[in-house]
Amino acid sequence: MAESKQSAEVTVSDVHKTIRAAFEAFDYESNNTVDVREIGTIIYSLGCFPTQADLHDLIAEVEEDHTGFIQLDSFLPVMSKVLLEHKFPPIPEDLLLQAFEVLDKEKKGYLEPEELMKYMTQEGELFTQEEMDEMLTALADHEKNVVFYKDLISQLTIDPDM
Amino acid sequence: MGCGMGKSELRLKKCEKDSISVPAATAISAALLIQRWYRQHVARLEMRRRCTWNIFQSIEYAGEQDQIKLYNFFGFLMEHFTPASSERNLISHIFRKDEICRDTEWERYFCYKSIEVTKTYSGPHLTFPMTFCGVSKLMEALKHKQQLHARYVLQLLGETWRLLRTFPNISQVIACHTKQITICGDLHGHLEDLLLIFYKNGLPSSDKPYVFNGDFVDRGKSSLEILLILFGFLLVYPNDVHLNRGNHEDHIVNLRYGFTKEVLGKYRVHGKKILKLLQMIFSWLPLATVIDNKVLIVHGGISDTTDLDKIARVDRHKYVSALRPPKMNGHGCPVEDRRRVCSLTYHSSAPAHRHDLPRHSLQNTPVYSKSDFPVDDELNRKCRLAGFDQPCCELKKSDSYLESKMTETDVNEWKQIVAVLWSDPMPQNGCIPNEVRGGGCYWGPDVTEEVLRRNNLQLLIRSHECKQDGYEFCHNRRVITIFSASNYYEVGSNRGAFIRMGPDLVPHFIQYQASTTCRELTLRQSVGWTERSALRALREQLFLHRSDLISAFQKFDPNNKGTISLTHWASSTERVLNLGLPWRVLRPQLVSSTQHGMMDYQQWIKELSITEPKLEISDNSILDTMYKNHSNLETIFRIIDTDHSGLISLKEFHQTWELLSSHLKTEISAKAIEDLAQSIDFNKDGNIDINEFLEAFRLVDISAHT
């Protein structure tokens, strides 16, 4: 939801407000603290596309002594820098398409669930079984039970709506 | 600027590469990319789900708060108007002392015997005493949408009432050897969930005891059916079915949240009697259930003063509505009426604010406390709050609150009951007034420990709050919230759950989601559905407050350009609506067109796409007030309509408005009300049909039809 796409005049104060708003959604006790396990969601929702490793590094920068909580005061400056410097920009659609095509060795135009599962759960930053199940349920065409990745990319990259 | 290759990808590549615009050459890099993309997608969905949840919850709790404010306001009116005042007469009956009649009088009033069941009746026939077969048949019939004849309804309710009067305030249950106990939370009229629970878990019986933890009614469409089934099983297995009272087992709350309307709609002739009998039944429902002297089950929760011995000793049936303080063996009306000294909201000795953010603030809530203000100031303050410039009519300064006959014991007792039905847990230590709901308190983990220790308990099970997964632990797993109405806010919003517990007193959770389609919704689909519904509800709220919003926006647009910054939009909207929502996060869903961080607010209001019926009225501001106070109006109407005919006279309509306008402290001209009344009296017979009136003002979301 970063509004920084076109306006070069995004001010620091705007960025702060955006970060604060996202942070607040998970600040259940209203004391400017969130559970460290929610930080990933917050960062992603600000329009960033970090890897898991990037996330770990970021969390290490802001978490206090393994309390399991993150203070807004620590998070704000770090996250502002991330947003202002566009550190984890979105993945261009064509790159994503190429990625899928690499996995689709036979160039079928779609992926079988088993194929996708093999890569997602065995390569890279592995999916858990739960993540995998969710992905298949969400992305697989229900009749044919395959993943038509071309359509998905355009649909999902713009806005995850039904 | 990298195009998205994180450190890990570089590490995994066999060779050093420039990170700019290099296509993912290996399967590993491809996988990484896809994983990253998908995780981002899911996280954004999660954020939306969280916001959607907040929307529903805020609107729901704001409604409850509203209800209680209205009720407190009536209490104030009762105290301060002269007996002759007409407004007082309109509402006095809801404060009237309950007639304690003898059994024979009740029997005569509720007598079902004179109600004939004609041959055309195709629904189930009940025989008493109730049997397992009888209840099963009843359940089947209700499942197939048949309606039970009023005679049988009254008969069943009568038997239930007689039975409940023999029960203690706190049901004691022993978890014995082979029997597992099933504990269910709020059902709120969702018959499909009750049926789903029975399907998954089995019907109640001596081998299968159940505890139902309150809030059987309101909001859902089948509240009465749920009651009939639960009461049916109660009659057959009185030692194995345990019902706890919830805050919605309360006729005042039912006026607003749909149960009253449901009963009157389904039983046009006998509805009033049925409601009256239910009032009594609700007051006789036990307040708590304890398993093995170790597990406490109550609907809302506790407070720092919760004392089970005290609760066990109260006359629970005198609390016909928990919103009403207890009546006493009277010393005559005026004293009784002045009894409404105390706020419904729980008081701690050191009132603290739950948080600094104005999220759920109640800046103007009158907190009626003897100790806070000297008597005169208190009276003046209340008068001002009610919109009267001078101290009210016949107030005598000697009518001191200190002379009230309500003793501290009475107050404490009442507070205990309110806490049990209305409280919510909070993460921080302490015990503070529950200002979001308007009743009971927020209690912290330290209070849990103390109360459990003091009463020799090990676990507290409560309901009252909707939970995404149907249940939730808190306070170091010493408190469980169990909620059994799935899809509570909207299809896909949440699962329901119930608990099974054996003699080891370890809770096992079973979750479910009632749905018409077989497969469970994916996260994306359920977020989509629920979100659309939440946004619709939110757009309605925005629409209702549009004039206030425009005024607020105009403050930031001194040159009248018609645009304001998004930051100002967010802060103004929060100030006006006071729902504590993350407006900046919601902004993309609510404001479609922005330019350079600015938005056209007039256009935006139009785009909310809510429309209203056209009425020929001279004064548009009254329409605004009407829309905004839809629920309050309805509540007032139903209170005034004492014979539950669904009709009120034009004169009563006028008086409704006067009541409402003094509650809101707004000025509404008599002429405007006159106009409005005439235009609503559709058939010009001098009466207004409440249901017609409300139907005419039902907001229509035109975007739903495009």
Side-chain angles (χ1 to χ4, degrees):
Chain A
M1 297 189 195
E3 298 150 46
S4 52
K5 270 188 282 190
Q6 277 138 14
S7 52
E9 324 92 49
V10 170
T11 63
V12 173
S13 129
D14 279 342
V15 163
H16 280 185
K17 289 205 176 83
T18 311
I19 296 172
R20 235 183 262 274
F23 194 88
E24 260 172 35
F26 290 92
D27 177 13
Y28 304 130
E29 299 181 25
S30 306
N31 57 0
N32 291 330
T33 309
V34 303
D35 189 317
V36 66
R37 289 166 292 184
E38 314 265 35
I39 278 291
T41 310
I42 296 174
I43 296 175
Y44 281 128
S45 77
L46 289 165
C48 300
F49 284 73
T51 64
Q52 301 289 77
D54 294 327
L55 276 181
H56 287 144
D57 291 341
L58 247 157
I59 289 173
E61 255 186 273
V62 295
E63 191 188 359
E64 306 180 338
D65 302 324
H66 311 292
T67 52
F69 289 101
I70 295 193
Q71 303 287 340
L72 179 59
D73 292 337
S74 322
F75 184 64
L76 197 60
V78 175
M79 196 62 217
S80 303
K81 196 148 175 282
V82 166
L83 287 183
L84 290 167
E85 293 177 6
H86 308 294
K87 267 196 190 149
F88 308 116
I91 302 170
E93 274 187 42
D94 52 348
L95 206 61
L96 199 52
L97 187 59
Q98 283 177 43
F100 274 107
E101 282 172 347
V102 164
L103 302 187
D104 178 15
K105 291 206 273 278
E106 295 150 43
K107 306 291 171 243
K108 304 185 296 295
Y110 58 83
L111 281 170
E112 304 274 348
E114 300 77 37
E115 277 181 280
L116 193 55
M117 183 157 6
K118 190 176 86 148
Y119 289 109
M120 296 294 107
T121 57
Q122 291 174 22
E123 309 276 13
E125 289 178 326
L126 315 183
F127 270 8
T128 62
Q129 191 54 47
E130 210 185 316
E131 278 177 300
M132 194 63 238
D133 291 340
E134 220 288 329
M135 188 190 205
L136 285 175
T137 323
L139 301 190
D141 177 288
H142 286 290
E143 284 163 46
K144 309 216 170 73
N145 201 30
V146 293
V147 178
F148 290 104
Y149 50 84
K150 285 208 186 98
D151 305 323
L152 285 174
I153 293 173
S154 37
Q155 270 176 35
L156 297 187
T157 309
I158 299 173
D159 199 4
D161 213 349
M162 254 190 83
Chain B
M1 203 197 298
C3 66
M5 301 271 214
K7 280 190 253 180
S8 48
E9 286 161 14
L10 288 172
R11 270 201 295 276
L12 284 162
K13 280 183 174 294
K14 297 270 169 31
C15 45
E16 292 297 322
K17 272 189 188 252
D18 277 352
S19 56
I20 301 184
S21 300
V22 173
T26 67
I28 296 171
S29 307
L32 278 167
L33 216 64
I34 295 171
Q35 285 157 347
R36 186 153 55 98
W37 164 77
Y38 190 71
R39 282 179 168 133
Q40 205 270 1
H41 165 67
V42 169
R44 287 181 61 182
L45 273 184
E46 176 57 31
M47 177 60 106
R48 281 168 59 194
R49 192 196 58 73
R50 180 87 226 132
C51 291
T52 303
W53 192 261
N54 286 346
I55 294 174
F56 276 128
Q57 204 166 57
S58 298
I59 295 180
E60 174 182 9
Y61 293 168
E64 287 183 346
Q65 201 190 96
D66 225 15
Q67 168 82 348
I68 292 182
K69 273 195 228 176
L70 187 68
Y71 195 74
N72 280 347
F73 170 71
F74 286 157
F76 169 75
L77 281 184
M78 289 301 299
E79 284 172 63
H80 295 294
F81 277 71
T82 64
S85 149
S86 56
E87 281 86 357
R88 182 189 160 107
N89 284 342
L90 277 181
I91 56 173
S92 60
H93 63 275
I94 60 174
F95 292 94
R96 208 163 36 222
K97 193 165 69 149
D98 272 309
E99 311 91 64
I100 313 236
C101 307
R102 286 182 298 279
D103 284 353
T104 45
E105 289 176 31
W106 279 128
E107 304 285 344
R108 234 195 337 267
Y109 177 70
F110 291 117
C111 190
Y112 59 88
K113 294 196 179 120
S114 55
I115 305 176
E116 200 200 317
V117 182
T118 63
K119 290 197 185 49
T120 52
Y121 171 67
S122 58
H125 294 268
L126 297 184
T127 54
F128 291 84
M130 191 63 109
T131 61
F132 181 77
C133 292
V135 191
S136 304
K137 255 185 12 201
L138 173 61
M139 216 173 74
E140 281 305 303
L142 295 177
K143 207 195 285 194
H144 292 106
K145 312 229 192 291
Q146 290 173 24
Q147 181 157 311
L148 185 65
H149 197 281
R151 177 197 172 105
Y152 298 129
V153 173
L154 285 168
Q155 209 172 345
L156 196 153
L157 293 181
E159 294 297 314
T160 306
W161 172 58
R162 253 174 244 110
L163 179 62
L164 285 175
R165 289 164 71 201
T166 67
F167 289 173
N169 296 344
I170 303 181
S171 310
Q172 300 286 351
V173 182
I174 310 291
C176 81
H177 345 284
T178 47
K179 289 204 280 201
Q180 290 225 317
I181 298 175
T182 309
I183 303 159
C184 302
D186 293 30
L187 288 166
H188 279 302
H190 286 215
L191 183 58
E192 60 280 8
D193 284 308
L194 182 61
L195 297 174
L196 192 51
I197 293 172
F198 285 163
Y199 176 72
K200 276 177 164 305
N201 195 54
L203 295 176
S205 69
S206 344
D207 294 321
K208 201 164 286 258
Y210 270 81
V211 178
F212 291 95
N213 201 11
D215 276 13
F216 319 120
V217 303
D218 277 333
R219 298 191 203 277
K221 297 204 200 67
S222 310
S223 300
L224 190 56
E225 285 75 13
I226 290 199
L227 286 183
L228 294 174
I229 294 173
L230 293 182
F231 292 160
F233 279 111
L234 179 70
L235 289 173
V236 181
Y237 300 109
N239 297 318
D240 302 295
V241 173
H242 307 276
L243 305 179
N244 284 344
R245 189 176 185 183
N247 63 311
H248 278 261
E249 274 70 59
D250 183 325
H251 70 286
I252 305 284
V253 178
N254 298 151
L255 281 170
R256 187 190 185 99
Y257 288 103
F259 182 49
T260 308
K261 190 152 73 168
E262 182 189 319
V263 173
L264 295 174
K266 290 177 177 167
Y267 292 92
R268 294 188 173 268
V269 178
H270 300 282
K272 188 181 169 195
K273 248 192 221 178
I274 294 175
L275 285 173
K276 190 75 191 156
L277 189 41
L278 280 168
Q279 246 183 63
M280 287 157 52
I281 289 178
F282 288 164
S283 73
W284 276 106
L285 284 170
L287 296 168
T289 301
V290 175
I291 303 180
D292 277 2
N293 286 312
K294 287 274 156 244
V295 179
L296 173 62
I297 309 176
V298 289
H299 173 75
I302 55 177
S303 74
D304 55 357
T305 57
T306 294
D307 181 340
L308 287 188
D309 290 331
K310 284 212 178 100
I311 293 176
R313 287 196 299 263
V314 308
D315 279 334
R316 70 180 188 271
H317 71 281
K318 70 186 186 192
Y319 296 92
V320 176
S321 163
L323 302 190
R324 210 166 128 186
K327 54 184 179 8
M328 282 256 282
N329 299 321
H331 283 275
C333 272
V335 173
E336 280 184 7
D337 291 334
R338 216 167 306 290
R339 188 163 300 115
R340 283 198 54 79
V341 187
C342 294
S343 152
L344 179 61
T345 313
Y346 174 86
H347 284 289
S348 63
S349 48
H353 287 287
R354 186 176 180 217
H355 34 66
D356 296 324
L357 301 172
R359 230 181 261 189
H360 304 295
S361 62
L362 277 189
Q363 292 99 337
N364 299 314
T365 306
V367 173
Y368 305 153
S369 160
K370 282 195 274 201
S371 51
D372 284 354
F373 304 93
V375 171
D376 291 355
D377 290 355
E378 174 72 1
L379 292 177
N380 288 335
R381 204 175 56 83
K382 283 195 194 177
C383 285
R384 273 199 309 278
L385 282 169
F388 303 107
D389 289 332
Q390 301 123 28
C392 315
C393 342
E394 314 267 291
L395 280 177
K396 293 175 240 159
K397 297 218 173 142
S398 61
D399 287 340
S400 162
Y401 290 91
L402 300 171
E403 290 164 13
S404 159
K405 293 288 194 246
M406 193 179 187
T407 67
E408 193 149 324
T409 327
D410 297 332
V411 175
N412 286 334
E413 185 185 279
W414 178 43
K415 280 189 203 167
Q416 294 249 358
I417 310 272
V418 175
V420 160
L421 298 176
W422 283 84
S423 299
D424 289 313
M426 67 174 176
Q428 305 96 327
N429 282 337
C431 195
I432 55 172
N434 188 331
E435 295 183 337
V436 173
R437 299 231 195 218
C441 68
Y442 283 121
W443 87 90
D446 56 337
V447 175
T448 296
E449 287 306 312
E450 176 53 31
V451 169
L452 289 181
R453 187 197 61 79
R454 200 164 63 212
N455 293 281
N456 270 312
L457 302 159
Q458 73 189 34
L459 176 65
L460 170 62
I461 299 179
R462 44 88 65 176
S463 303
H464 197 41
E465 285 179 300
C466 182
K467 294 296 175 190
Q468 174 81 7
D469 292 317
Y471 74 95
E472 192 174 271
F473 279 100
C474 69
H475 293 189
N476 304 315
R477 297 176 79 86
R478 301 276 260 163
V479 176
I480 300 174
T481 300
I482 184 77
F483 195 85
S484 301
S486 68
N487 304 323
Y488 180 59
Y489 289 128
E490 179 50 86
V491 172
S493 67
N494 64 290
R495 289 194 274 185
F498 58 90
I499 297 173
R500 264 210 286 260
M501 187 178 270
D504 58 358
L505 301 182
V506 172
H508 299 277
F509 300 93
I510 294 94
Q511 298 160 300
Y512 54 85
Q513 192 154 22
S515 76
T516 48
T517 58
C518 305
R519 64 183 167 83
E520 271 199 24
L521 298 173
T522 63
L523 179 61
R524 181 162 63 115
Q525 285 159 329
S526 67
V527 169
W529 264 116
T530 321
E531 189 181 51
R532 253 202 294 284
S533 187
L535 290 173
R536 189 164 47 237
L538 196 52
R539 287 201 332 267
E540 229 179 69
Q541 291 294 312
L542 291 166
F543 181 76
L544 296 183
H545 289 86
R546 62 195 186 290
S547 357
D548 288 341
L549 282 171
I550 292 189
S551 308
F553 295 152
Q554 279 169 339
K555 290 207 181 84
F556 291 108
D557 181 22
N559 301 324
N560 241 327
K561 295 218 182 99
T563 59
I564 51 167
S565 75
L566 293 172
T567 308
H568 290 150
W569 171 83
S571 60
S572 308
T573 307
E574 175 52 28
R575 206 185 346 264
V576 170
L577 273 130
N578 202 24
L579 286 173
L581 293 173
W583 295 102
R584 289 190 73 93
V585 176
L586 292 169
R587 202 273 309 155
Q589 324 280 21
L590 294 171
V591 183
S592 52
S593 50
T594 65
Q595 270 210 342
H596 309 300
M598 305 289 281
M599 56 93 81
D600 176 339
Y601 51 90
Q602 300 279 9
Q603 183 60 25
W604 174 62
I605 299 274
K606 288 209 189 78
E607 282 173 1
L608 288 175
S609 301
I610 308 280
T611 192
E612 63 210 40
K614 300 275 177 264
L615 279 181
E616 307 290 324
I617 300 177
S618 54
D619 186 345
N620 266 322
S621 68
I622 209 182
L623 268 185
D624 251 8
T625 310
M626 178 169 312
Y627 279 120
K628 253 197 284 192
N629 293 281
H630 208 247
S631 291
N632 280 341
L633 258 185
E634 179 171 357
T635 307
I636 298 176
F637 279 160
R638 295 203 184 281
I639 292 177
I640 290 176
D641 177 26
T642 51
D643 61 356
H644 295 301
S645 60
L647 299 173
I648 59 172
S649 69
L650 289 178
K651 173 152 184 277
E652 286 169 334
F653 182 74
H654 262 266
Q655 291 171 318
T656 306
W657 276 96
E658 276 161 31
L659 265 177
L660 185 65
S661 64
S662 53
H663 172 53
L664 300 173
K665 294 166 280 181
T666 58
E667 272 302 313
I668 302 182
S669 77
K671 175 87 179 57
I673 299 179
E674 177 68 36
D675 274 356
L676 182 62
Q678 296 294 355
S679 64
I680 293 170
D681 179 10
F682 298 118
N683 57 1
K684 306 290 173 235
D685 67 348
N687 277 318
I688 291 175
D689 181 320
I690 296 177
N691 290 315
E692 223 175 41
F693 167 77
L694 292 171
E695 186 54 37
F697 282 89
R698 193 167 56 89
L699 296 175
V700 177
D701 180 1
I702 56 178
S703 70
H705 298 295
T706 50

